[in-house]
Amino acid sequence: MIGTVTSEDLYDVVVVGGGAAGVGVAVTLMDAGIENFIVLERHTVGASFALWPVETRFITPSFPTNSIGMLDLNSIAIGVSPAFSLKVEHPTGEEYASHLREVAEFFELPIRQHTEVMRITKEGNEFRVQTADETLQAKHVVWAAGEFQYPRLTGLVGSKFCRHTATLTSYEELDGDDFIVIGGYESGVDAAYHLAHRGKQVRLFDKGCPWEDKSSDPSITLSTYSLERMCNAQFVAQVELFPDTPIASVTRVGTVYEVTAADGRRFQTHVPPLLAGGFEGSHKLVADLFERRDDGFPLLSEHDESTVVPGLFLCGPAVRHGNHVFCFIYKYRQRFAVVAKAIATSLGLPAPALEDYRKWGMYLDDLSCCGEECVC
């Protein structure tokens, strides 16, 4: 328990998840004048970040300020900055987890840790949030459980012979000298970089070619940080790139793993291939409470609310609006005030403090108030 958890019979809001989205939207709820809420976290605050491989860093740089007063890209609340508190530009996962814990303690957020949510239902105008120990009642629920703890392990024949990068503690734990990495976006390049830095040979496969994509949207093309690391001398010498090479299957015969591309080419290694194909996301756990978009993500109202279960909101990297992808912290934090304002309005609160969010480039209204450049 971080802050004081009340024993109200009926909460105004239950927030599920104590990561960047959960802590960030909780601070915003407080700014909106909402006091009777609780945050449920099945492990500890920032646990998903603490599970990153120890070598992995944030690809978005942290900075305490700039000439136009923009928030630190990795900040989840006005007035806080990982760069300032951690004194680092690209935090590790554990460093960022410690930052989230400090934010939660500073704001005295009512967080109940080690509390796993088993099921969410709605009866009349109230939600029933069932945990392993009890059932809580709430007028609103915010699903902010994130995605890192839900790696995508299917979609590839023979994926059981691979290891997802999200399951690694450190790249130092991997034996062998010749690695195959499937997936060439941020996680794949990160894996290839750290393996190359350790003198390993790496073959990096991707169905596209994100390192040459010219889009300005970092949800599509690689970040500047990743592109810079691809220019590292060891990366150039140790990593062989295979763009436009989707992988069809992985098999194992004895100690040999064979990776077969869609065009029939076969590649062998004595080390289990590494999957860097992204994450399923926790939103799949509450899929029955949302309509689904064509791309499989939850369909949301302009206030990030379920279109079929009023009072249920989504925060975090799974938020989508049209072709807008809010997959980074500096993107989805823009929606915190939208959710908080909608809930405050439902509760009859004026939420005047949320007006401060406008000057920080965060939304208060629907997406029509800003252009695409605001989310990318």
Side-chain angles (χ1 to χ4, degrees):
M1 184 185 300
I2 290 184
T4 300
V5 178
T6 65
S7 57
E8 299 283 349
D9 292 332
L10 176 64
Y11 289 100
D12 286 333
V13 191
V14 168
V15 178
V16 181
V23 171
V25 76
V27 173
T28 313
L29 290 173
M30 294 183 71
D31 288 341
I34 300 169
E35 299 178 351
N36 179 28
F37 72 92
I38 187 173
V39 180
L40 306 179
E41 164 56 44
R42 70 170 178 168
H43 297 303
T44 58
V45 170
S48 290
F49 293 99
L51 290 173
W52 283 9
V54 296
E55 300 90 347
T56 299
R57 303 289 188 270
F58 267 68
I59 59 174
T60 46
S62 278
F63 47 82
T65 187
N66 59 32
S67 60
I68 60 174
M70 183 178 177
L71 280 179
D72 185 326
L73 289 180
N74 298 315
S75 172
I76 45 84
I78 295 174
V80 303
S81 165
F84 183 83
S85 60
L86 298 174
K87 295 179 175 56
V88 64
E89 183 176 359
H90 293 279
T92 65
E94 178 53 49
E95 287 172 335
Y96 194 75
S98 70
H99 169 72
L100 291 179
R101 291 192 292 268
E102 290 174 357
V103 171
E105 291 170 1
F106 176 81
F107 287 98
E108 298 182 341
L109 297 179
I111 299 178
R112 184 177 295 169
Q113 302 183 102
H114 306 292
T115 303
E116 185 170 5
V117 172
M118 313 297 292
R119 187 183 181 198
I120 297 174
T121 57
K122 189 174 186 182
E123 299 178 12
N125 294 322
E126 297 177 4
F127 287 93
R128 301 288 186 270
V129 182
Q130 181 182 341
T131 72
D133 301 316
E134 62 181 325
T135 298
L136 305 179
Q137 301 178 70
K139 297 177 183 177
H140 307 85
V141 171
V142 178
W143 186 265
E147 61 177 28
F148 185 78
Q149 296 184 42
Y150 307 91
R152 183 177 294 118
L153 301 174
T154 58
L156 175 66
V157 177
S159 58
K160 64 181 180 180
F161 298 119
C162 305
R163 187 168 184 185
H164 199 284
T165 54
T167 66
L168 301 176
T169 301
S170 169
Y171 289 99
E172 289 187 357
E173 72 184 39
L174 299 177
D175 295 324
D177 298 304
D178 182 20
F179 288 82
I180 287 179
V181 178
I182 302 173
Y185 192 50
E186 302 291 358
S187 297
V189 170
D190 184 66
Y193 172 81
H194 292 300
L195 290 169
H197 188 70
R198 298 184 61 237
K200 310 297 183 180
Q201 293 294 324
V202 182
R203 285 169 285 178
L204 181 63
F205 294 84
D206 193 80
K207 61 183 179 181
C209 190
W211 49 82
E212 290 186 3
D213 195 296
K214 304 303 180 184
S215 171
S216 61
D217 186 351
S219 302
I220 300 173
T221 189
L222 285 176
S223 65
T224 301
Y225 184 62
S226 293
L227 290 173
E228 288 175 348
R229 293 193 297 170
M230 290 184 75
C231 295
N232 176 273
Q234 280 186 297
F235 190 101
V236 174
Q238 304 290 125
V239 180
E240 184 178 3
L241 301 175
F242 290 84
D244 304 312
T245 310
I247 299 302
S249 65
V250 177
T251 57
R252 185 181 68 182
V253 178
T255 61
V256 176
Y257 297 86
E258 187 168 83
V259 177
T260 303
D263 60 12
R265 284 182 293 170
R266 298 184 178 185
F267 307 87
Q268 295 183 336
T269 176
H270 288 278
V271 184
L274 296 180
L275 279 180
F279 305 89
E280 294 286 351
S282 67
H283 62 277
K284 296 292 182 69
L285 302 178
V286 288
D288 60 315
L289 303 178
F290 292 88
E291 287 186 276
R292 191 170 66 173
R293 291 163 39 115
D294 291 340
D295 60 5
F297 285 92
L299 181 66
L300 304 173
S301 75
E302 63 182 15
H303 304 301
D304 296 357
E305 187 175 11
S306 169
T307 56
V308 291
V309 182
L312 175 64
F313 296 82
L314 180 68
C315 279
V319 172
R320 300 287 189 275
H321 285 283
N323 60 356
H324 299 317
V325 178
F326 295 82
C327 59
F328 291 110
I329 290 173
Y330 73 89
K331 291 186 174 188
Y332 62 72
R333 74 181 182 198
Q334 297 179 80
R335 307 298 297 172
F336 293 163
V338 175
V339 171
K341 183 180 180 182
I343 294 176
T345 300
S346 172
L347 295 172
L349 299 173
L354 290 184
E355 293 298 329
D356 293 338
Y357 281 70
R358 288 191 190 277
K359 68 182 180 182
W360 295 104
M362 297 188 185
Y363 300 131
L364 280 178
D365 305 309
D366 65 286
L367 283 166
S368 63
C369 68
C370 292
E372 185 172 354
E373 67 273 10
C374 294
V375 294
C376 296

